[in-house]
Amino acid sequence: MVSHKCVEEVGYKSYLLPANARAPRSARKRRSIEKTISEDDNMCAIDLLATVAGHLSFESGSSIDKLIEDHRVVTQKSVKEEFLEEEKPLMPEALSGENPYQGSLSTSGFSSVINGKVENEADGFSYSGGSDACQVGSFSEDIKPDIDGDALVLDARANVVVSLGSSSRTEVPSIGNCDSHGVRDDVNLFSRDDDENFSGYIHPRVRKNSPRTVPRIGDRRIRKILASRHWKGGSRHADTKPWRNYYLHHQRSYPIKKRKNFDHISDSITDDYRLRTKMHRGSRKGQGASFVASNSHVKLRIKSFRVPELFIEIPETATVGSLKRMVMEAVSTLLSDGHRVGLMVHGKKVRDDNKTLHQTGISQDNTHLDSLDFSLEPSSDMPQLLTSHPSGHASGELLPVCQAANMDNVLESVHHDSALFPSDSLGKNNVTGDSKAMIPVALTELASRPPCRKLKRSEQQQQQAAQRRIRRPFSVAEVEALVQAVEKLGTGRWRDVKLCAFEDADHRTYVDLKDKWKTLVHTAKISPQQRRGEPVPQELLNRVLNAHGYWTQQQMQLQQPETQAQTTEALLLL
DNA sequence: CTTAGGG
DNA sequence: CCCTAAG
């Protein structure tokens, strides 16, 4: 209930100097605000497979659309048919009506899967299949279960390639214009893995001045704990309570902490893929019916990618775009969850990361390529994986999932790829003599999970430290709200600003707002050409500049009134 | 916990 | 966004 604080309208330039206006607690010099702030915290999407293979081409990403529009359900063959045949409600009913922070998901919807996992521990994996399982791409008939070690790979081929990424852009959150709080139409994203977690469950949340069951103060902490349970603990080691359900607020889709080593590949997924595609073509020499580039490059193609389960609930009034973003976020969330890539040749797992492809039997003239299987395995040793290859050496190429800056980038890349990749360039290949220009790569199964083991506390903490919130670019509406609040409250009361304008936007902390203001000021000072991301109306930027100038000056005066007096005295003495 | 700034 | 020093 903060609206009363901000009831009065603020004139364009008539900033109110609150009675409690105060000087900054410390008179630290604020320098280099102008310093460019890396706006694109981009991270590439699921480039990991591509990275492993060295080459990977993506084609049309229509899969995502299909997934969404058709909500096509593909029934997978499985070694555990009984699980697949069970009908599962699209959404757990237990969520509605409960305190979102404590809501528990009914296990009924997923028990089959979970049971499958538990009861077939030896298999080390579980299917999340079933009629409601979302799948990107489609499978052909030859889904052959293959067990090796702790990961099972489905040799399923499809005709659709999809590139996955993640979106950090979110729908306009509940922006209070200080004096009004609209009905919240927020979403929560649940994640679930094959064990007991939910991935990609998006649940609408409507709240308006409703009593908080959970003290706000505890919000973040609770969230963090839950999140960490899910992302670190829950997904990597067995929980003592197999059926525990986790709740994840939407902003808790923390990706793996980005490592500096990966920065270089994070800028533009689009360009990256385009580059590769072109390189492939350019370097190609017709070595007979070779499917290999001149320099003994092996071309690999991920033909499909299946997502275990993706539960999405979204208001009818939501836009298709937001749905897509949610799906993308959910999917990327899955991928980000500490999986690593496993490679199998002829059903045999290749563990030595330092082996060359050739040594492994993946070469231009080998015949094993059809039996090349990639898998996503849970990596209990993620921390090591992430940190022990600083120079990005051999095994360093086995990068974990990164995240794309925003949906636009991802979609754009998909689009470009499809353009660069005429459908015939692939589809016909299998028929013509040049058939192996592209090698169908077996599908990946996300849901594999080795026998769970408990992590030591130290490990948990290690993983805990690797959390990072997803990037959530401010929408224009949010900027508007922020500007208005700052005009009124000034630049030194972020907590109040938060309460005033972002009370219900749980994912915006006052630090976030402060940071955003920082970037806004910067943005306003640079030329429009240099700005990135969703363009902010110049009018807003002008207000930013004005408010910034005003409050900065205000602060100065509060800060050094005595200095001025002294100066005056000094002058008088002279 | 809040602020302010640097990373 | 994250991390931290400071208050």
Side-chain angles (χ1 to χ4, degrees):
Chain A
M1 205 75 73
V2 199
S3 48
H4 65 279
K5 292 182 185 172
C6 313
V7 172
E8 325 93 323
E9 258 306 316
V10 182
Y12 182 61
K13 282 188 174 180
S14 60
Y15 303 106
L16 302 180
L17 214 186
N20 57 342
R22 61 199 170 194
R25 296 190 181 186
S26 65
R28 273 176 265 172
K29 300 279 195 264
R30 42 176 83 183
R31 50 177 179 176
S32 75
I33 288 185
E34 277 76 344
K35 194 189 256 176
T36 303
I37 293 178
S38 180
E39 283 286 350
D40 58 339
D41 225 333
N42 306 4
M43 290 190 275
C44 69
I46 60 157
D47 208 11
L48 73 181
L49 292 178
T51 309
V52 167
H55 292 288
L56 170 68
S57 23
F58 278 65
E59 72 169 1
S60 165
S62 60
S63 315
I64 294 285
D65 289 9
K66 281 181 184 169
L67 166 64
I68 295 164
E69 291 162 20
D70 302 338
H71 196 274
R72 181 171 55 183
V73 171
V74 180
T75 305
Q76 301 89 34
K77 292 184 177 178
S78 164
V79 292
K80 301 181 187 60
E81 304 257 347
E82 64 269 30
F83 306 124
L84 299 182
E85 287 170 9
E86 237 180 277
E87 281 294 328
K88 290 183 274 293
L90 196 54
M91 80 159 278
E93 55 287 314
L95 274 170
S96 46
E98 281 199 45
N99 167 20
Y101 289 100
Q102 299 173 342
S104 64
L105 294 170
S106 160
T107 58
S108 65
F110 314 100
S111 56
S112 61
V113 172
I114 299 173
N115 284 330
K117 168 67 171 84
V118 169
E119 293 168 10
N120 296 277
E121 197 83 37
D123 291 349
F125 83 102
S126 73
Y127 279 91
S128 56
S131 61
D132 58 289
C134 295
Q135 174 173 332
V136 180
S138 60
F139 289 76
S140 62
E141 294 304 309
D142 60 337
I143 301 177
K144 73 165 191 249
D146 199 343
I147 300 175
D148 178 298
D150 47 18
L152 180 148
V153 174
L154 286 181
D155 181 7
R157 283 161 189 142
N159 299 316
V160 184
V161 172
V162 65
S163 72
L164 299 170
S166 93
S167 161
S168 41
R169 180 165 302 178
T170 319
E171 286 309 282
V172 178
S174 66
I175 311 285
N177 274 329
C178 286
D179 51 337
S180 68
H181 285 279
V183 173
R184 186 79 181 274
D185 196 326
D186 209 342
V187 297
N188 297 326
L189 184 151
F190 288 75
S191 275
R192 176 195 176 285
D193 60 26
D194 57 300
D195 270 330
E196 64 268 301
N197 300 320
F198 291 83
S199 296
Y201 188 105
I202 298 169
H203 186 270
R205 191 171 108 212
V206 178
R207 178 184 68 198
K208 177 179 170 56
N209 294 331
S210 58
R212 293 177 192 291
T213 313
V214 177
R216 178 161 283 293
I217 293 180
D219 269 19
R220 276 196 108 192
R221 182 165 302 166
I222 291 173
R223 259 182 239 150
K224 216 155 192 173
I225 292 172
L226 290 174
S228 100
R229 271 229 184 101
H230 170 72
W231 293 111
K232 316 297 184 67
S235 58
R236 292 205 181 80
H237 60 82
D239 196 294
T240 49
K241 298 175 183 176
W243 312 128
R244 170 153 7 166
N245 298 302
Y246 294 96
Y247 169 84
L248 288 175
H249 200 49
H250 59 288
Q251 77 260 41
R252 246 147 285 123
S253 24
Y254 302 113
I256 299 170
K257 183 159 192 169
K258 184 176 65 173
R259 287 304 198 277
K260 288 182 179 171
N261 318 28
F262 308 155
D263 285 356
H264 66 288
I265 60 172
S266 65
D267 265 337
S268 171
I269 175 178
T270 303
D271 293 346
D272 197 29
Y273 289 146
R274 199 183 306 173
L275 203 65
R276 290 182 185 178
T277 306
K278 285 178 178 173
M279 284 170 61
H280 282 201
R281 297 189 164 177
S283 61
R284 192 164 159 194
K285 286 184 193 166
Q287 277 190 347
S290 95
F291 43 85
V292 178
S294 60
N295 39 356
S296 297
H297 281 188
V298 181
K299 293 188 175 184
L300 302 172
R301 186 174 193 78
I302 307 297
K303 307 232 36 169
S304 74
F305 206 89
R306 177 169 159 253
V307 178
E309 274 181 311
L310 213 52
F311 295 92
I312 295 177
E313 181 185 332
I314 184 173
E316 291 180 335
T317 54
T319 63
V320 171
S322 66
L323 207 205
K324 289 181 179 179
R325 284 191 286 274
M326 289 178 188
V327 172
M328 189 58 95
E329 189 165 316
V331 169
S332 65
T333 281
L334 265 185
L335 294 174
S336 309
D337 190 16
H339 285 74
R340 71 180 177 204
V341 172
L343 172 63
M344 302 207 308
V345 177
H346 266 177
K348 192 173 181 182
K349 181 174 286 184
V350 180
R351 298 177 186 281
D352 188 352
D353 290 343
N354 295 315
K355 263 187 181 176
T356 68
L357 295 184
H358 185 73
Q359 290 175 323
T360 312
I362 308 174
S363 60
Q364 41 184 315
D365 50 11
N366 92 73
T367 54
H368 303 9
L369 287 173
D370 340 351
S371 61
L372 194 56
D373 294 341
F374 285 107
S375 66
L376 277 189
E377 309 164 359
S379 53
S380 50
D381 52 356
M382 268 314 277
Q384 283 71 24
L385 178 69
L386 286 174
T387 57
S388 56
H389 307 295
S391 56
H393 237 39
S395 50
E397 290 179 7
L398 205 154
L399 299 178
V401 183
C402 303
Q403 188 177 13
N406 58 50
M407 179 59 69
D408 291 341
N409 275 354
V410 174
L411 294 180
E412 199 181 326
S413 85
V414 168
H415 180 73
H416 286 319
D417 286 338
S418 71
L420 288 167
F421 241 118
S423 54
D424 61 329
S425 77
L426 185 73
K428 308 242 162 100
N429 281 335
N430 288 331
V431 184
T432 67
D434 189 32
S435 62
K436 304 236 170 146
M438 289 296 168
I439 292 84
V441 175
L443 165 97
T444 297
E445 170 57 66
L446 278 176
S448 59
R449 185 123 311 183
C452 309
R453 88 185 155 89
K454 279 212 163 187
L455 292 183
K456 296 175 206 158
R457 191 165 299 279
S458 60
E459 288 177 309
Q460 286 184 30
Q461 288 174 348
Q462 232 181 44
Q463 294 175 353
Q464 181 118 20
Q467 301 280 359
R468 188 189 181 99
R469 291 188 296 159
I470 62 172
R471 188 166 171 270
R472 291 163 159 270
F474 277 68
S475 65
V476 173
E478 285 179 293
V479 171
E480 160 89 55
L482 176 59
V483 170
Q484 186 170 330
V486 173
E487 283 175 341
K488 184 187 304 292
L489 301 170
T491 53
R493 305 167 59 198
W494 299 109
R495 197 233 173 188
D496 291 336
V497 170
K498 154 74 176 171
L499 259 36
C500 173
F502 292 79
E503 157 88 319
D504 284 338
D506 292 344
H507 57 290
R508 302 298 190 196
T509 68
Y510 46 74
V511 174
D512 293 332
L513 302 179
K514 183 261 300 177
D515 286 342
K516 179 55 183 176
W517 184 261
K518 183 169 65 178
T519 66
L520 274 176
V521 171
H522 175 254
T523 301
K525 289 178 177 175
I526 62 180
S527 70
Q529 290 73 36
Q530 302 177 63
R531 298 169 191 165
R532 287 177 294 181
E534 188 177 11
V536 178
Q538 186 58 44
E539 175 263 338
L540 274 178
L541 292 177
N542 291 336
R543 289 169 65 187
V544 167
L545 243 35
N546 286 331
H548 177 258
Y550 174 83
W551 287 108
T552 298
Q553 185 181 325
Q554 210 64 49
Q555 212 167 55
M556 299 275 276
Q557 291 180 8
L558 288 174
Q559 220 172 280
Q560 354 178 276
E562 68 292 321
T563 301
Q564 298 214 347
Q566 287 169 13
T567 305
T568 306
E569 282 183 37
L571 287 174
L572 288 176
L573 287 176
L574 287 177

